[in-house]
Coordinates of all heavy atoms in Angstrom, one line a residue:
M17 N 3.0 13.7 -15.2 CA 3.5 14.2 -16.4 C 3.1 15.6 -16.6 O 3.7 16.4 -17.2 CB 3.2 13.3 -17.6 CG 1.9 13.5 -18.2 SD 1.6 12.4 -19.6 CE -0.2 12.7 -20.0
G18 N 1.9 15.9 -16.1 CA 1.4 17.3 -16.2 C 0.7 17.6 -17.5 O 1.0 16.9 -18.5
R19 N -0.1 18.6 -17.4 CA -0.9 18.9 -18.6 C -0.8 20.4 -18.7 O -0.9 21.2 -17.7 CB -2.3 18.5 -18.3 CG -3.3 18.9 -19.5 CD -4.6 18.2 -19.1 NE -5.6 18.5 -20.1 CZ -6.8 18.0 -20.2 NH1 -7.2 17.1 -19.3 NH2 -7.7 18.4 -21.1
I20 N -0.7 20.9 -19.9 CA -0.7 22.4 -20.1 C -2.0 23.0 -19.7 O -3.1 22.5 -20.1 CB -0.4 22.7 -21.6 CG1 1.1 22.4 -21.9 CG2 -0.7 24.2 -21.8 CD1 1.5 22.8 -23.3
D21 N -2.0 23.9 -18.8 CA -3.2 24.6 -18.3 C -3.3 26.0 -18.9 O -2.4 26.8 -18.8 CB -3.1 24.7 -16.8 CG -4.3 25.4 -16.1 OD1 -5.2 25.6 -16.8 OD2 -4.2 25.6 -14.9
I22 N -4.3 26.2 -19.7 CA -4.5 27.5 -20.3 C -5.5 28.4 -19.6 O -5.8 29.4 -20.1 CB -4.9 27.4 -21.8 CG1 -6.2 26.6 -22.0 CG2 -3.8 26.7 -22.6 CD1 -6.7 26.7 -23.4
T23 N -5.9 28.0 -18.4 CA -6.8 28.8 -17.6 C -6.0 30.1 -17.2 O -4.9 30.0 -16.7 CB -7.1 28.1 -16.3 OG1 -7.7 26.8 -16.6 CG2 -8.2 28.9 -15.5
G24 N -6.4 31.2 -17.7 CA -5.7 32.4 -17.4 C -4.5 32.7 -18.4 O -3.7 33.5 -18.2
G25 N -4.6 32.0 -19.5 CA -3.6 32.3 -20.6 C -2.5 31.2 -20.7 O -2.5 30.2 -19.9
F26 N -1.6 31.4 -21.6 CA -0.5 30.5 -21.9 C 0.8 31.3 -22.0 O 0.8 32.2 -22.8 CB -0.8 29.6 -23.1 CG 0.4 28.8 -23.5 CD1 0.7 27.6 -22.8 CD2 1.3 29.1 -24.5 CE1 1.8 26.8 -23.1 CE2 2.4 28.4 -24.8 CZ 2.7 27.2 -24.1
S27 N 1.8 30.9 -21.3 CA 3.1 31.4 -21.4 C 4.1 30.3 -21.6 O 4.2 29.4 -20.8 CB 3.5 32.3 -20.2 OG 4.8 32.7 -20.3
I28 N 5.0 30.4 -22.6 CA 5.9 29.4 -22.9 C 6.9 29.3 -21.7 O 7.4 28.2 -21.3 CB 6.7 29.7 -24.2 CG1 5.8 29.5 -25.4 CG2 8.0 28.9 -24.3 CD1 6.3 30.1 -26.7
H29 N 7.1 30.4 -21.0 CA 8.1 30.4 -19.9 C 7.6 29.5 -18.8 O 8.5 29.0 -18.0 CB 8.2 31.9 -19.4 CG 8.7 32.8 -20.4 ND1 10.0 32.7 -20.9 CD2 8.2 33.8 -21.1 CE1 10.2 33.6 -21.9 NE2 9.1 34.3 -22.0
D30 N 6.3 29.3 -18.7 CA 5.9 28.4 -17.6 C 6.3 27.0 -17.8 O 6.3 26.1 -17.0 CB 4.4 28.5 -17.5 CG 3.9 29.8 -17.0 OD1 4.7 30.6 -16.4 OD2 2.7 30.1 -17.2
Y31 N 6.6 26.6 -19.1 CA 6.9 25.3 -19.6 C 8.3 25.2 -20.2 O 8.5 24.2 -20.9 CB 5.8 24.7 -20.4 CG 4.5 24.8 -19.9 CD1 3.6 25.8 -20.1 CD2 4.0 23.8 -19.0 CE1 2.3 25.9 -19.5 CE2 2.8 23.8 -18.4 CZ 1.9 24.9 -18.7 OH 0.7 25.0 -18.1
R32 N 9.1 26.2 -19.9 CA 10.4 26.3 -20.6 C 11.3 25.0 -20.5 O 11.9 24.6 -21.5 CB 11.2 27.5 -20.1 CG 12.3 27.9 -21.0 CD 12.8 29.3 -20.6 NE 12.7 29.6 -19.2 CZ 12.8 30.8 -18.7 NH1 13.0 31.8 -19.4 NH2 12.7 30.9 -17.4
A33 N 11.3 24.4 -19.4 CA 12.1 23.2 -19.2 C 11.5 22.0 -19.9 O 12.2 21.0 -20.1 CB 12.2 22.9 -17.7
K34 N 10.3 22.0 -20.3 CA 9.6 20.9 -20.9 C 9.4 21.0 -22.4 O 9.1 20.0 -23.1 CB 8.3 20.6 -20.2 CG 8.5 20.2 -18.7 CD 7.2 20.1 -18.0 CE 7.4 19.7 -16.5 NZ 6.2 19.6 -15.7
L35 N 9.5 22.2 -22.9 CA 9.3 22.5 -24.3 C 10.5 23.0 -25.0 O 11.2 23.9 -24.4 CB 8.1 23.5 -24.5 CG 6.8 23.1 -24.0 CD1 5.8 24.3 -24.1 CD2 6.2 21.9 -24.9
K36 N 10.9 22.4 -26.0 CA 12.2 22.8 -26.7 C 11.7 23.7 -27.9 O 11.0 23.2 -28.8 CB 13.0 21.6 -27.2 CG 14.2 22.0 -28.0 CD 14.9 20.7 -28.5 CE 16.2 21.1 -29.3 NZ 16.8 20.0 -29.9
L37 N 12.2 24.9 -28.0 CA 11.9 25.8 -29.1 C 12.6 25.3 -30.4 O 13.8 25.2 -30.5 CB 12.3 27.2 -28.8 CG 11.9 28.3 -29.7 CD1 10.4 28.4 -29.9 CD2 12.6 29.6 -29.4
L38 N 11.8 25.0 -31.4 CA 12.4 24.5 -32.7 C 12.4 25.7 -33.7 O 13.3 25.7 -34.5 CB 11.5 23.3 -33.2 CG 11.4 22.1 -32.5 CD1 10.5 21.1 -33.2 CD2 12.8 21.5 -32.2
H39 N 11.5 26.5 -33.6 CA 11.4 27.5 -34.6 C 10.7 28.8 -34.1 O 9.7 28.6 -33.4 CB 10.6 27.0 -35.9 CG 10.4 28.0 -37.0 ND1 11.5 28.3 -37.8 CD2 9.3 28.7 -37.4 CE1 11.0 29.2 -38.7 NE2 9.8 29.5 -38.4
D40 N 11.2 30.0 -34.4 CA 10.6 31.2 -33.9 C 10.8 32.3 -35.0 O 11.9 32.7 -35.2 CB 11.2 31.6 -32.6 CG 10.5 32.8 -32.0 OD1 9.6 33.5 -32.6 OD2 10.9 33.2 -30.9
D41 N 9.7 32.6 -35.7 CA 9.8 33.7 -36.7 C 9.3 35.0 -36.1 O 9.1 35.9 -36.9 CB 9.2 33.3 -38.0 CG 7.7 33.1 -37.8 OD1 7.1 33.5 -36.8 OD2 7.0 32.6 -38.8
G42 N 9.1 35.1 -34.9 CA 8.6 36.3 -34.3 C 7.1 36.4 -34.2 O 6.5 37.1 -33.4
E43 N 6.4 35.6 -34.9 CA 5.0 35.6 -35.0 C 4.4 34.2 -34.6 O 3.4 34.1 -33.9 CB 4.4 36.0 -36.3 CG 4.7 37.4 -36.7 CD 4.4 37.7 -38.2 OE1 4.2 36.8 -38.9 OE2 4.5 38.9 -38.5
T44 N 5.1 33.2 -35.0 CA 4.7 31.9 -34.7 C 5.9 31.1 -34.1 O 7.0 31.2 -34.6 CB 4.2 31.2 -36.0 OG1 3.1 31.9 -36.5 CG2 3.7 29.7 -35.6
R45 N 5.6 30.3 -33.1 CA 6.6 29.5 -32.5 C 6.2 28.0 -32.6 O 5.1 27.7 -32.5 CB 6.9 29.8 -31.0 CG 7.4 31.2 -30.8 CD 7.6 31.5 -29.3 NE 8.2 32.8 -29.1 CZ 7.5 33.9 -28.9 NH1 6.2 33.8 -28.9 NH2 8.0 35.0 -28.7
T46 N 7.3 27.2 -32.9 CA 7.1 25.8 -32.9 C 7.9 25.2 -31.8 O 9.1 25.5 -31.7 CB 7.5 25.2 -34.3 OG1 6.8 25.9 -35.3 CG2 7.2 23.7 -34.3
L47 N 7.3 24.3 -31.0 CA 8.0 23.8 -29.8 C 7.8 22.2 -29.8 O 6.8 21.7 -30.3 CB 7.4 24.3 -28.5 CG 7.5 25.8 -28.4 CD1 6.1 26.5 -28.4 CD2 8.3 26.3 -27.3
E48 N 8.8 21.6 -29.4 CA 8.8 20.1 -29.2 C 8.5 19.8 -27.8 O 9.1 20.3 -26.9 CB 10.2 19.6 -29.7 CG 10.2 18.1 -29.6 CD 11.6 17.5 -30.0 OE1 12.6 18.2 -29.6 OE2 11.7 16.6 -30.7
N49 N 7.7 18.8 -27.6 CA 7.3 18.3 -26.3 C 8.4 17.4 -25.8 O 8.5 16.3 -26.3 CB 5.9 17.7 -26.3 CG 5.4 17.3 -24.9 OD1 6.1 17.6 -23.9 ND2 4.2 16.8 -24.9
R50 N 9.2 17.7 -24.8 CA 10.3 16.9 -24.3 C 9.9 16.2 -23.1 O 10.7 15.4 -22.5 CB 11.5 17.8 -24.0 CG 12.0 18.4 -25.3 CD 13.5 18.9 -25.0 NE 13.6 19.8 -23.9 CZ 14.7 20.4 -23.6 NH1 15.8 20.2 -24.2 NH2 14.7 21.3 -22.6
A51 N 8.8 16.4 -22.5 CA 8.4 15.9 -21.2 C 7.1 15.2 -21.1 O 6.5 15.1 -20.0 CB 8.5 17.0 -20.2
E52 N 6.5 14.8 -22.3 CA 5.2 14.1 -22.2 C 4.2 15.0 -21.6 O 3.2 14.5 -20.9 CB 5.3 12.8 -21.4 CG 6.3 11.7 -22.0 CD 5.7 11.0 -23.2 OE1 4.7 10.3 -22.9 OE2 6.2 11.1 -24.2
L53 N 4.3 16.3 -21.8 CA 3.3 17.2 -21.3 C 1.9 16.8 -22.0 O 1.9 16.4 -23.2 CB 3.6 18.6 -21.7 CG 4.3 19.5 -20.8 CD1 4.7 20.8 -21.4 CD2 3.5 19.7 -19.5
G54 N 0.9 17.0 -21.3 CA -0.4 16.7 -21.8 C -1.1 17.8 -22.5 O -0.9 19.0 -22.2
C55 N -1.8 17.5 -23.6 CA -2.5 18.5 -24.4 C -3.6 19.2 -23.6 O -4.3 18.6 -22.8 CB -3.1 17.7 -25.6 SG -4.2 18.7 -26.6
P56 N -3.7 20.6 -23.8 CA -4.7 21.3 -23.0 C -6.1 20.9 -23.4 O -7.1 21.1 -22.7 CB -4.4 22.7 -23.3 CG -3.7 22.7 -24.5 CD -2.9 21.4 -24.6
A57 N -6.3 20.3 -24.6 CA -7.6 20.0 -25.2 C -8.0 18.6 -24.8 O -9.1 18.4 -24.3 CB -7.6 20.2 -26.7
C58 N -7.1 17.6 -25.0 CA -7.6 16.2 -24.8 C -6.8 15.5 -23.7 O -7.2 14.4 -23.4 CB -7.4 15.4 -26.2 SG -5.7 15.1 -26.6
G59 N -5.7 16.1 -23.2 CA -5.0 15.5 -22.1 C -3.9 14.5 -22.5 O -3.1 14.1 -21.7
R60 N -4.0 14.0 -23.8 CA -2.9 13.1 -24.2 C -1.6 13.8 -24.4 O -1.6 15.0 -24.8 CB -3.3 12.4 -25.5 CG -4.5 11.4 -25.3 CD -4.9 10.8 -26.7 NE -5.4 11.8 -27.6 CZ -5.3 11.7 -28.9 NH1 -4.8 10.7 -29.5 NH2 -5.9 12.7 -29.6
A61 N -0.5 13.2 -24.3 CA 0.8 13.8 -24.7 C 0.8 14.2 -26.1 O 0.3 13.4 -27.0 CB 1.9 12.8 -24.3
F62 N 1.3 15.3 -26.4 CA 1.4 15.8 -27.8 C 2.8 15.7 -28.3 O 3.7 15.5 -27.5 CB 0.8 17.2 -27.9 CG 1.4 18.2 -27.1 CD1 2.5 18.9 -27.6 CD2 1.0 18.5 -25.8 CE1 3.2 19.9 -26.8 CE2 1.6 19.5 -25.1 CZ 2.7 20.1 -25.5
D63 N 3.0 16.0 -29.6 CA 4.3 15.9 -30.2 C 4.9 17.3 -30.4 O 5.9 17.7 -29.8 CB 4.2 15.1 -31.5 CG 5.6 15.0 -32.2 OD1 6.5 14.8 -31.6 OD2 5.6 15.1 -33.5
R64 N 4.1 18.1 -31.1 CA 4.6 19.5 -31.4 C 3.5 20.4 -31.0 O 2.3 20.1 -31.1 CB 4.8 19.6 -32.9 CG 5.9 18.9 -33.5 CD 7.2 19.5 -33.2 NE 8.3 19.0 -34.0 CZ 8.9 17.9 -33.7 NH1 8.6 17.2 -32.7 NH2 9.9 17.4 -34.5
L65 N 3.9 21.6 -30.6 CA 3.0 22.7 -30.2 C 3.3 23.9 -31.1 O 4.5 24.3 -31.2 CB 3.2 23.0 -28.8 CG 2.6 24.3 -28.2 CD1 1.1 24.3 -28.3 CD2 3.0 24.5 -26.8
F66 N 2.3 24.5 -31.8 CA 2.5 25.7 -32.5 C 1.7 26.8 -31.8 O 0.6 26.6 -31.3 CB 1.9 25.6 -33.9 CG 2.5 24.4 -34.7 CD1 2.0 23.2 -34.6 CD2 3.6 24.7 -35.5 CE1 2.5 22.1 -35.3 CE2 4.1 23.6 -36.3 CZ 3.6 22.3 -36.2
V67 N 2.3 27.9 -31.6 CA 1.8 29.0 -30.8 C 1.8 30.3 -31.6 O 2.9 30.6 -32.2 CB 2.4 29.3 -29.5 CG1 1.7 30.4 -28.7 CG2 2.5 28.0 -28.7
T68 N 0.7 31.0 -31.8 CA 0.7 32.3 -32.5 C -0.2 33.3 -31.7 O -1.1 32.9 -31.1 CB 0.3 32.2 -33.9 OG1 0.5 33.5 -34.5 CG2 -1.1 31.8 -34.1
E69 N 0.2 34.5 -31.8 CA -0.6 35.6 -31.2 C -1.4 36.3 -32.3 O -2.1 37.2 -32.1 CB 0.2 36.6 -30.4 CG 0.8 35.9 -29.2 CD 1.6 36.9 -28.3 OE1 1.6 38.1 -28.6 OE2 2.3 36.5 -27.4
D70 N -1.1 35.9 -33.6 CA -1.7 36.6 -34.7 C -3.1 36.1 -34.9 O -3.5 35.1 -34.3 CB -0.9 36.2 -36.0 CG 0.4 37.0 -36.1 OD1 0.7 37.7 -35.2 OD2 1.1 36.7 -37.1
A71 N -3.9 36.9 -35.6 CA -5.3 36.6 -35.8 C -5.5 35.4 -36.8 O -6.4 34.6 -36.7 CB -6.1 37.8 -36.4
T72 N -4.4 35.2 -37.6 CA -4.4 34.1 -38.6 C -3.1 33.5 -38.6 O -2.0 34.1 -38.3 CB -4.8 34.6 -40.0 OG1 -3.8 35.6 -40.5 CG2 -6.2 35.3 -40.0
A73 N -3.0 32.2 -39.1 CA -1.8 31.5 -39.2 C -1.9 30.5 -40.4 O -3.0 29.9 -40.6 CB -1.3 30.9 -38.0
S74 N -0.9 30.3 -41.1 CA -0.8 29.3 -42.2 C 0.3 28.3 -42.0 O 1.3 28.7 -41.5 CB -0.7 30.0 -43.5 OG -1.7 30.9 -43.8
F75 N 0.0 27.1 -42.4 CA 1.1 26.1 -42.3 C 1.2 25.4 -43.7 O 0.3 25.0 -44.3 CB 0.5 25.0 -41.3 CG 0.3 25.5 -39.9 CD1 -0.9 25.9 -39.5 CD2 1.4 25.6 -39.0 CE1 -1.1 26.4 -38.2 CE2 1.2 26.1 -37.7 CZ -0.1 26.5 -37.4
D76 N 2.5 25.4 -44.1 CA 2.8 24.9 -45.4 C 2.5 23.4 -45.4 O 2.1 22.9 -46.5 CB 4.3 25.2 -45.8 CG 4.5 26.7 -45.9 OD1 3.6 27.4 -46.3 OD2 5.6 27.2 -45.7
T77 N 2.9 22.7 -44.4 CA 2.7 21.3 -44.3 C 1.6 21.0 -43.3 O 1.8 21.1 -42.1 CB 4.0 20.6 -44.0 OG1 4.6 21.3 -42.8 CG2 5.0 20.6 -45.1
P78 N 0.5 20.5 -43.8 CA -0.5 20.2 -42.8 C -0.1 19.0 -41.9 O 0.6 18.1 -42.4 CB -1.7 19.8 -43.7 CG -1.1 19.4 -44.9 CD 0.1 20.2 -45.1
P79 N -0.5 19.0 -40.7 CA -0.2 17.9 -39.8 C -0.9 16.6 -40.3 O -2.1 16.6 -40.3 CB -0.6 18.3 -38.4 CG -1.6 19.4 -38.7 CD -1.3 20.0 -40.0
E80 N -0.2 15.6 -40.7 CA -0.9 14.4 -41.2 C -1.0 13.4 -40.0 O -0.7 12.2 -40.0 CB 0.0 13.7 -42.2 CG 0.1 14.6 -43.5 CD 1.0 13.9 -44.6 OE1 1.6 12.9 -44.3 OE2 1.1 14.5 -45.6
R81 N -1.6 14.0 -39.0 CA -1.9 13.2 -37.8 C -2.9 14.0 -37.0 O -3.2 15.1 -37.3 CB -0.6 13.1 -36.9 CG 0.2 14.4 -36.8 CD 1.4 14.3 -36.0 NE 2.3 13.3 -36.6 CZ 3.3 12.7 -35.9 NH1 3.5 13.1 -34.6 NH2 4.1 11.9 -36.5
P82 N -3.5 13.3 -35.9 CA -4.5 14.0 -35.2 C -3.9 15.3 -34.6 O -2.7 15.3 -34.2 CB -4.9 13.0 -34.1 CG -4.5 11.7 -34.6 CD -3.3 12.0 -35.5
F83 N -4.7 16.3 -34.5 CA -4.3 17.5 -33.9 C -5.4 18.2 -33.1 O -6.6 17.9 -33.3 CB -3.7 18.6 -34.9 CG -4.7 19.1 -35.9 CD1 -5.4 20.3 -35.6 CD2 -4.9 18.4 -37.1 CE1 -6.3 20.8 -36.6 CE2 -5.8 19.0 -38.0 CZ -6.5 20.1 -37.7
C84 N -5.1 19.0 -32.1 CA -6.1 19.7 -31.3 C -5.7 21.2 -31.3 O -4.6 21.6 -31.6 CB -6.0 19.2 -29.8 SG -6.4 17.5 -29.6
L85 N -6.8 22.0 -31.1 CA -6.7 23.4 -31.0 C -7.1 23.9 -29.6 O -7.9 23.3 -28.9 CB -7.6 24.1 -32.0 CG -7.4 23.8 -33.5 CD1 -8.5 24.4 -34.3 CD2 -6.0 24.3 -33.9
A86 N -6.5 25.0 -29.2 CA -6.9 25.6 -27.9 C -6.6 27.1 -28.1 O -5.7 27.5 -28.8 CB -6.0 25.1 -26.8
R87 N -7.4 27.9 -27.5 CA -7.2 29.3 -27.6 C -7.3 30.0 -26.3 O -8.1 29.5 -25.4 CB -8.1 30.0 -28.6 CG -9.6 30.0 -28.2 CD -10.4 30.7 -29.3 NE -11.8 30.5 -29.0 CZ -12.5 31.3 -28.2 NH1 -11.9 32.3 -27.6 NH2 -13.8 31.1 -28.0
T88 N -6.5 31.0 -26.1 CA -6.6 31.8 -24.9 C -7.0 33.2 -25.4 O -7.2 33.4 -26.6 CB -5.2 31.9 -24.2 OG1 -4.3 32.7 -25.0 CG2 -4.7 30.6 -23.9
E89 N -7.1 34.2 -24.6 CA -7.4 35.5 -25.0 C -6.4 36.1 -26.0 O -6.8 36.7 -27.0 CB -7.5 36.5 -23.8 CG -8.9 36.5 -23.2 CD -9.0 37.6 -22.1 OE1 -8.5 38.7 -22.4 OE2 -9.6 37.3 -21.1
A90 N -5.2 35.7 -25.8 CA -4.1 36.3 -26.7 C -3.5 35.4 -27.7 O -2.9 35.9 -28.7 CB -3.0 36.8 -25.7
K91 N -3.7 34.1 -27.5 CA -3.0 33.2 -28.4 C -3.8 32.0 -28.9 O -4.8 31.7 -28.3 CB -1.8 32.5 -27.6 CG -0.7 33.5 -27.0 CD 0.4 32.8 -26.4 CE 1.5 33.7 -25.9 NZ 1.2 34.4 -24.7
L92 N -3.3 31.5 -30.0 CA -3.9 30.3 -30.6 C -2.9 29.2 -30.5 O -1.7 29.4 -30.9 CB -4.3 30.6 -32.1 CG -4.8 29.3 -32.8 CD1 -6.1 28.9 -32.2 CD2 -5.1 29.7 -34.3
L93 N -3.3 28.1 -30.0 CA -2.3 26.9 -29.9 C -2.8 25.7 -30.7 O -4.0 25.5 -30.8 CB -2.3 26.5 -28.4 CG -1.5 27.3 -27.4 CD1 -2.1 28.6 -27.2 CD2 -1.4 26.5 -26.1
L94 N -1.9 25.1 -31.4 CA -2.2 23.9 -32.2 C -1.2 22.8 -31.7 O 0.0 23.0 -31.7 CB -2.1 24.2 -33.7 CG -2.5 23.0 -34.6 CD1 -2.9 23.6 -36.0 CD2 -1.4 22.0 -34.8
M95 N -1.8 21.7 -31.3 CA -1.0 20.6 -30.8 C -1.1 19.4 -31.8 O -2.3 19.0 -32.2 CB -1.4 20.0 -29.4 CG -1.1 20.9 -28.3 SD -2.0 22.6 -28.2 CE -3.7 22.1 -28.3
T96 N 0.0 18.8 -32.3 CA -0.2 17.6 -33.1 C 0.2 16.4 -32.2 O 1.0 16.5 -31.3 CB 0.8 17.7 -34.3 OG1 2.1 17.8 -33.8 CG2 0.5 18.8 -35.2
H97 N -0.5 15.3 -32.5 CA -0.2 14.1 -31.7 C 0.4 13.0 -32.5 O 0.5 13.1 -33.7 CB -1.6 13.5 -31.2 CG -2.1 14.3 -30.1 ND1 -1.8 14.3 -28.9 CD2 -3.1 15.4 -30.2 CE1 -2.4 15.2 -28.1 NE2 -3.3 15.8 -28.9
Ligands
ZN21 ZN1 -4.9 16.9 -28.0

């Protein structure tokens, strides 16, 4: 099933076939996991992936489920399970 590898950074293009873009406001992207991709933090398949390159990000609706964080030099990733 594969797992997102953030060694050397993260690019959505590397997983384009497996992640469906749900929302993109230019600063934060929300993606749906369509291929049981594994979380870069815990290895379990995640549900949604939020990606931002901003220093800060806010979410109107907190994930009412377990979530993991991962960061690269350029991006912050939040995965909900
Ligand atoms: Zn996880």
